[in-house]
Amino acid sequence: MTHPVTDVTKAPSRKMLLGGQILNHGSADGAWRWPGNTPGLHYDLDAMAHIAKVAEQGKFQLIFIADHPAMREDISHSPPTATIEPLIITSHLIGQTKQIGFALTQSTTFNFPYTVARQMKALDVLSGGRIGWNAVTTNDPTIGANYGSHIDDRDTRYARAHEFIQLVRALWDSWGKDALKLDVERGIYADVSQIQPINLGGQFVASRGPLPTPPSPQGQPIIFQAGGGAEGLQLAGMYASGVYSMVTDIATGRAHRQALDRAALAAGRDPSAVKLFMGIFTTVAESEEAALARREALLQFASIPLAAKLHHLSMLVGIRLTMETIREPLSAERLAALRPNLNYPHAARATKLLQDGKSPYEVLLRDVTGFHTTIIGSPTQVADQLQELFEAGAADGFFIMPDVISDGLPAFVEGVVPILQSRGLFQSDYEGSTLRENFEATVPKVTA
């Protein structure tokens, strides 16, 4: 679906949010080997700072930093997917950037509220109010083993998460907004009457407080949430300003949005205060044909064999596909036998592409076996698809991960962002100096 350029004199009042999940080599399998990429990006602060500056040039509201404190992949032929350590990386990047925000992941399962509150608040103050906390529970036994512990059941993990977040927020508020005086003439550093212990505790966690850290310009960091299910929805509805969803299309996006609205209303909040994000993989080139050629060139660096990708596609569409006929469109008989397995993301899209006459090889070039939705094409085509998802209510914003970070992020920033801006769909400059201002986020007022 294509959209004409919107008259900016009638710009839409609602603008999309853009984040970058970009402190990695890229979303394409084998991206670390692409010419021009930095093979050791995970351990190169200068390279990561350059990426953050490109995202800031594109006026992205934030960079999202995932975490997985365990070795979950075989790194014989591909690098790890998680950042080496979110707090350390963020502490460097806030000094290399001026306006872009950072949302970093910290678990409520294998941490203490005081530690997380102190670390996040310190980063928030030092960055001038540009920090968000992605509060997650941990369900991976390998991470539990790293901490010499086991993984509790889901109900216990989320019960702890509620107490944890409430304590962190109370610690963030343990200083009054005017407590720090810095009055040199009168010799008054702080008004200690505005700095109070919180003395809170529950079944799982407790803290006396206060923090040794004054408020930042945004008051306290923004809370993000990335869990699923009823428990994740409740957590998001009560505390989050941003939700990283696993939705893949308009239908799943609208469904998650409706469920999130109900959760926010149940918590006594305005649903519009909770922004829903969709993860998007991108390949941007001068045309769709050039984008497909780029995807084909990336295959030579892939660590996952094409046959394995084809097997995955077979599971998506419900019929056995073979390497011998991978470049041939399906016969009418085989098309009639397609049965999309809706337990898999992208199954409906993969089926539709085959029904439209694409060969299995052409479908794989469109990365339907990827984790998130992949959008490929010219800058206008990519902008069109983002606009369609946004205007259909599938998401309030997108976390962008280009196929290859070294040239894929500049291609998005230089090609797609100006089109979105010309249509009045994305900010032309930062609205304020803090992440909360650029997010238009208020602090949720929730009763424990």
Side-chain angles (χ1 to χ4, degrees), residues 31-94:
W32 72 282
R33 300 174 61 199
W34 185 257
N37 230 356
T38 303
L41 175 64
H42 278 83
Y43 322 110
D44 190 325
L45 286 174
D46 290 339
M48 284 187 272
H50 173 72
I51 292 167
K53 290 175 183 178
V54 173
E56 188 170 57
Q57 175 191 334
K59 310 304 178 184
F60 281 36
Q61 273 86 2
L62 72 152
I63 292 171
F64 185 91
I65 305 178
D67 190 29
H68 193 90
M71 287 284 290
R72 61 178 170 179
E73 305 110 339
D74 177 359
I75 61 171
S76 301
H77 304 290
S78 59
T81 55
T83 308
I84 182 173
E85 210 294 317
L87 286 160
I88 301 299
I89 297 303
T90 303
S91 67
H92 175 73
L93 296 182
I94 60 175

Side-chain angles (χ1 to χ4, degrees), residues 127-172:
S127 67
R130 294 188 284 137
I131 298 300
W133 170 35
N134 179 38
V136 300
T137 66
T138 299
N139 63 2
D140 186 340
T142 62
I143 295 177
N146 285 345
Y147 288 94
S149 183
H150 65 280
I151 298 296
D152 288 323
D153 63 84
R154 186 176 179 87
D155 287 344
T156 300
R157 294 199 315 274
Y158 275 90
R160 177 186 169 92
H162 279 279
E163 291 185 10
F164 197 109
I165 294 172
Q166 289 166 23
L167 259 69
V168 166
R169 288 181 52 200
L171 286 163
W172 284 342

Side-chain angles (χ1 to χ4, degrees), residues 23 126 233 244 253 275 351 369:
L23 296 184
L126 294 173
L233 280 170
Y244 194 165
K275 310 299 184 184
T351 302
T369 59

Side-chain angles (χ1 to χ4, degrees), residues 394-431:
D396 300 296
F398 305 96
F399 283 122
I400 303 299
M401 183 182 283
D403 50 8
V404 179
I405 201 66
S406 57
D407 56 357
L409 182 61
F412 186 92
V413 165
E414 296 165 12
V416 180
V417 168
I419 296 172
L420 296 173
Q421 290 169 333
S422 72
R423 297 177 183 180
L425 292 164
F426 182 62
Q427 63 183 10
S428 296
D429 204 351
Y430 290 99
E431 299 292 331

Side-chain angles (χ1 to χ4, degrees), residues 85-211:
E85 210 294 317
L87 286 160
I88 301 299
I89 297 303
T90 303
S91 67
H92 175 73
L93 296 182
I94 60 175
Q96 300 294 312
T97 54
K98 298 183 185 308
Q99 293 175 289
I100 195 166
F102 296 88
L104 54 154
T105 301
Q106 289 288 288
S107 172
T108 62
T109 304
F110 294 112
N111 277 305
F112 290 100
Y114 187 87
T115 301
V116 170
R118 183 184 181 204
Q119 292 170 336
M120 294 293 120
K121 193 68 172 290
L123 286 172
D124 204 37
V125 169
L126 294 173
S127 67
R130 294 188 284 137
I131 298 300
W133 170 35
N134 179 38
V136 300
T137 66
T138 299
N139 63 2
D140 186 340
T142 62
I143 295 177
N146 285 345
Y147 288 94
S149 183
H150 65 280
I151 298 296
D152 288 323
D153 63 84
R154 186 176 179 87
D155 287 344
T156 300
R157 294 199 315 274
Y158 275 90
R160 177 186 169 92
H162 279 279
E163 291 185 10
F164 197 109
I165 294 172
Q166 289 166 23
L167 259 69
V168 166
R169 288 181 52 200
L171 286 163
W172 284 342
D173 281 343
S174 59
W175 283 56
K177 66 177 182 178
D178 299 318
L180 186 63
K181 296 302 184 183
L182 300 181
D183 188 333
V184 175
E185 290 187 4
R186 294 194 297 160
I188 300 174
Y189 186 83
D191 179 358
V192 294
S193 70
Q194 296 188 51
I195 306 171
Q196 300 294 332
I198 64 168
N199 291 319
L200 292 175
Q203 180 181 354
F204 303 99
V205 289
S207 181
R208 177 186 179 274
L211 286 179

Side-chain angles (χ1 to χ4, degrees), residues 295-334:
R295 298 294 311 187
E296 189 167 28
L298 278 161
L299 286 177
Q300 67 181 301
F301 302 112
S303 60
I304 301 174
L306 187 59
K309 295 177 186 287
L310 186 65
H311 177 68
H312 188 168
L313 180 58
S314 297
M315 292 191 295
L316 295 186
V317 301
I319 63 172
R320 183 173 178 271
L321 304 168
T322 65
M323 289 294 292
E324 290 75 20
T325 58
I326 190 173
R327 294 179 182 269
E328 300 173 10
L330 301 187
S331 65
E333 181 181 6
R334 302 218 74 200

